[in-house]
Amino acid sequence: MRTLFFLLLFVNLAFATYVQLEPAGGSAAPPAWELQPEKIKLLQALPAPATCLEWGTFVEADLERLEAAIASHELDGKVTRQELGTAPVYWVHIPPLRSKRHAERKMGELRRLGVTHFTRVDDTSKWNNAISMDFFENIGDAQTFLAALRKKGVRSAIIGARNLKQVKYVARSPEENMSAKMMQLKEEFPGSELKTAKCANA
């Protein structure tokens, strides 16, 4: 019995000594969350993701007017047009008129009524010589816009549904001057959105 007592005492003393010496010995592995200096340097050396300005969303029918506005701000060649696929939109427009002359006469009437946001469709489609007023992603916005035209005296405009290609314009790592010009573009196209995003394929 006495021998068993001393044996247990020896085991307890040995374990206590091990617990006290283990931290000082430095043999324990470093915590998993600690980064080695070499890894920290590697992370710091990685380039930051490029930032882009994205301006959109527009439909293909507005491309001529968009490209002209971009050129007027000396941004042609500095922004990239990206296609976003086809989507349904609601088109506020005046149906095709008999000729270019009739369309121009109608546009003169619109100006006298105080309407300045429109474009004559000039192509070989069935919409040739229609007068495009604007495009909307939801019917409610189109109806609100049409009601505002009615108050100005525009009676021939209607709403039609079309499937059109959508696009956006992207400026990669823009300087301050370029960002200011894109903000001006946004103001010239009510309803458009200008936002900052991580560049794709950066």
Side-chain angles (χ1 to χ4, degrees):
M1 191 71 180
R2 186 175 181 182
T3 302
L4 179 60
F5 171 79
F6 283 109
L7 180 60
L8 291 174
L9 179 63
F10 174 79
V11 170
N12 287 333
L13 288 173
F15 179 75
T17 301
Y18 172 79
V19 170
Q20 292 175 357
L21 292 178
E22 180 61 24
S27 60
W33 51 266
E34 288 186 0
L35 289 175
Q36 301 298 326
E38 294 79 7
K39 293 181 179 180
I40 294 176
K41 290 180 180 178
L42 180 61
L43 290 174
Q44 292 174 340
L46 292 176
T51 301
C52 285
L53 267 182
E54 297 184 353
W55 179 45
T57 303
F58 306 103
V59 294
E60 58 181 341
D62 278 338
L63 289 184
E64 183 177 348
R65 190 162 61 96
L66 289 164
E67 299 289 349
I70 289 171
S72 70
H73 288 277
E74 300 178 343
L75 290 175
D76 44 334
K78 299 179 181 179
V79 296
T80 303
R81 188 175 74 212
Q82 295 183 1
E83 295 188 0
L84 303 175
T86 302
V89 295
Y90 296 96
W91 184 28
V92 179
H93 67 288
I94 295 174
L97 296 154
R98 286 183 292 174
S99 65
K100 178 181 178 181
R101 183 169 60 86
H102 284 86
E104 289 175 344
R105 183 184 302 169
K106 176 61 71 173
M107 289 189 290
E109 294 176 6
L110 293 173
R111 293 187 187 95
R112 287 191 291 275
L113 291 173
V115 180
T116 58
H117 184 75
F118 55 80
T119 305
R120 182 179 70 88
V121 178
D122 184 13
D123 58 27
T124 57
S125 72
K126 65 179 182 178
W127 304 110
N128 189 41
N129 288 320
I131 299 176
S132 177
M133 314 294 282
D134 214 337
F135 295 89
F136 300 89
E137 293 184 359
N138 62 76
I139 187 65
D141 290 341
Q143 291 171 336
T144 299
F145 181 72
L146 184 62
L149 291 176
R150 293 281 189 266
K151 289 183 179 179
K152 290 184 176 183
V154 180
R155 304 301 176 193
S156 53
I158 62 172
I159 298 175
R162 295 182 65 182
N163 287 317
L164 296 177
K165 291 180 181 178
Q166 294 188 317
V167 300
K168 67 179 178 180
Y169 290 87
V170 179
R172 187 181 181 88
S173 302
E175 297 179 355
E176 183 177 350
N177 182 49
M178 187 175 181
S179 298
K181 289 183 177 181
M182 293 194 70
M183 181 61 70
Q184 292 174 3
L185 278 174
K186 177 186 179 299
E187 293 174 355
E188 292 176 15
F189 289 80
S192 65
E193 180 183 16
L194 185 65
K195 65 180 181 180
T196 301
K198 180 181 177 183
C199 296
N201 301 320

